Amino acid sequence: AQSVTQLGSHVSVSEGALVLLRCNYSSSVPPYLFWYVQYPNQGLQLLLKYTTGATLVKGINGFEAEFKKSETSFHLTKPSAHMSDAAEYFCAVTDRESGNKLVFGAGTILRVKS
Amino acid sequence: EPEVTQTPSHQVTQMGQEVILRCVPISNHLYFYWYRQILGQKVEFLVSFYNNEISEKSEIFDDQFSVERPDGSNFTLKIRSTKLEDSAMYFCASSEQGAGANVLTFGAGSRLTVL
């Protein structure tokens, strides 16, 4: 069975600092990996996804994530945090055998301090 | 940009009452889903729906739950007799295709509070 672990339910960074949100997954077959963001009172919005090919994927709003098979990780980074990045971030996994049934992590709330 | 629309945004109901949560998926999408998030817990898959039938459901999706696409545009989730533990945020999603790499577009959610 697939699972996702997000280290840190809350992460706090200063504006302009590096953002690093951690995600580790388990999957018995090659995974498809996603990061979603949820702003207050809004739906889950896709930030980026990894399916095949290049292991470093770039998403919206300056975010990127690197798929590391050896570490079963898909950490999300952004070089310089902005106040508007404050939100909850969810890592999710699926695979081609699972249809579109996503398995989500518990989420990480990102706080950006001025 | 196309959106998935959910109504109501918040519903409060008494235990044992029936609740219907409504969703309007993106118009050219063929696959529809319900997920839920109990406060403080993970977002969990409930059910997927394609071609007017359930394609997959989780253990959570028991006989108290049902889904329907009544009119070609709406996609509904019905809970027949709500329990306290049904209190959660319910997310509707849709996608163009059913393959695993396809992206789901989620709605803003319907918060259900069962008293």
Side-chain angles (χ1 to χ4, degrees):
Chain A
Q2 296 168 322
S3 67
V4 174
T5 301
Q6 291 183 240
L7 276 177
S9 58
H10 291 78
V11 170
S12 184
V13 301
S14 298
E15 192 172 20
L18 172 71
V19 175
L20 171 60
L21 304 183
R22 298 178 187 273
C23 172
N24 289 88
Y25 70 91
S26 69
S27 178
S28 58
V29 297
Y32 301 138
L33 295 157
F34 303 79
W35 276 98
Y36 281 86
V37 61
Q38 185 180 27
Y39 300 102
N41 301 315
Q42 295 188 29
L44 297 165
Q45 179 184 0
L46 181 72
L47 272 180
L48 48 81
K49 70 174 183 179
Y50 168 79
T51 54
T52 58
T55 56
L56 181 64
V57 291
K58 296 184 184 299
I60 62 172
N61 301 338
F63 284 94
E64 61 182 37
E66 187 171 10
F67 169 60
K68 291 187 177 180
K69 184 178 177 181
S70 61
E71 298 178 8
T72 60
S73 69
F74 191 57
H75 302 330
L76 181 71
T77 60
K78 182 174 179 177
S80 176
H82 191 272
M83 297 296 288
S84 60
D85 295 327
E88 188 162 16
Y89 292 79
F90 295 92
C91 182
V93 65
T94 187
D95 60 67
R96 65 177 167 189
E97 297 177 357
S98 301
N100 276 335
K101 187 175 72 174
L102 292 170
V103 174
F104 282 88
T108 298
I109 295 173
L110 176 65
R111 178 180 168 228
V112 182
K113 299 175 290 186
S114 59
Chain B
E1 188 171 333
E3 289 184 340
V4 174
T5 306
Q6 290 187 241
T7 55
S9 57
H10 190 191
Q11 181 159 355
V12 180
T13 190
Q14 295 292 323
M15 192 168 52
Q17 295 296 304
E18 176 183 282
V19 161
I20 297 176
L21 305 179
R22 291 182 168 80
C23 170
V24 179
I26 293 174
S27 61
N28 65 332
H29 285 186
L30 301 177
Y31 295 79
F32 314 114
Y33 314 85
W34 285 99
Y35 285 75
R36 80 171 185 189
Q37 185 182 28
I38 295 172
L39 189 63
Q41 298 186 25
K42 296 183 178 184
V43 177
E44 303 171 290
F45 169 80
L46 289 179
V47 66
S48 58
F49 189 88
Y50 169 71
N51 199 26
N52 282 319
E53 61 182 28
I54 291 172
S55 44
E56 190 170 0
K57 61 183 181 180
S58 71
E59 293 174 354
I60 303 166
F61 195 87
D62 61 22
D63 292 344
Q64 291 298 313
F65 292 89
S66 62
V67 289
E68 192 178 40
R69 188 155 161 82
D71 56 13
S73 61
N74 289 285
F75 178 53
T76 62
L77 174 70
K78 182 192 291 186
I79 309 175
R80 288 190 182 81
S81 177
T82 50
K83 302 187 280 273
L84 295 176
E85 54 264 38
D86 294 328
S87 294
M89 179 74 90
Y90 289 82
F91 292 104
C92 175
S94 67
S95 65
E96 285 186 62
Q97 299 176 30
N102 205 41
V103 173
L104 273 63
T105 301
F106 285 85
S110 293
R111 181 169 298 285
L112 176 65
T113 302
V114 182
L115 302 176

